[in-house]
């Protein structure tokens, strides 16, 4: 039963990744693209975590935490760039 639920979750998050990739390419504004990129990061964290559950190892959980950290920093940098025009003051 767990294997079926994992494959269903893989399918849902993969579909979400594809839809976010479409939004990233076709978004009307820069802020919409940043939002799509942030959502792709969250979906990728979920995919990595699901892969770790499927494999039964904790290495993928640490990888997902590092991915989350870099995703957060990049989103904050993009948001600051949108608001002020530069990242470093």
């Amino acid at each position: 039963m767990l294997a079926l639920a994992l494959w269903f979750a893989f399918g849902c998050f993969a579909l979400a990744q594809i839809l976010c990739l479409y939004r990233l390419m076709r978004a009307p504004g820069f802020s919409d693209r940043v939002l799509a990129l942030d959502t792709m990061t969250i979906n990728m964290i979920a995919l990595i975590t699901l892969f770790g559950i499927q494999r039964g190892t904790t290495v993928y959980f640490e990888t997902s935490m590092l991915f989350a950290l870099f995703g957060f920093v990049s989103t904050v940098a993009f948001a600051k760039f949108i608001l002020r025009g530069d990242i470093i003051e």
Side-chain angles (χ1 to χ4, degrees):
M1 188 67 184
L2 180 64
L4 182 65
L6 283 174
W7 282 111
F8 180 73
F10 275 125
C12 289
F13 282 110
L15 179 65
Q17 282 288 82
I18 292 169
L19 292 174
C20 286
L21 184 64
Y22 176 76
R23 184 67 178 168
L24 183 67
M25 290 188 297
R26 296 287 183 174
F30 188 67
S31 61
D32 293 328
R33 292 181 180 170
V34 170
L35 185 61
L37 192 64
D38 187 48
T39 307
M40 285 181 73
T41 303
I42 292 169
N43 288 334
M44 185 57 75
I45 292 166
L47 283 171
I48 292 170
T49 304
L50 287 174
F51 193 70
I53 291 172
Q54 186 184 34
R55 295 293 176 189
T57 180
T58 59
V59 173
Y60 296 104
F61 296 118
E62 294 170 0
T63 305
S64 66
M65 287 180 62
L66 284 174
F67 207 82
L69 179 69
F70 285 120
F72 174 73
V73 170
S74 66
T75 301
V76 169
F78 276 126
K80 196 170 180 179
F81 180 75
I82 289 172
L83 287 176
R84 298 183 182 167
D86 61 349
I87 298 172
I88 300 172
E89 297 177 16

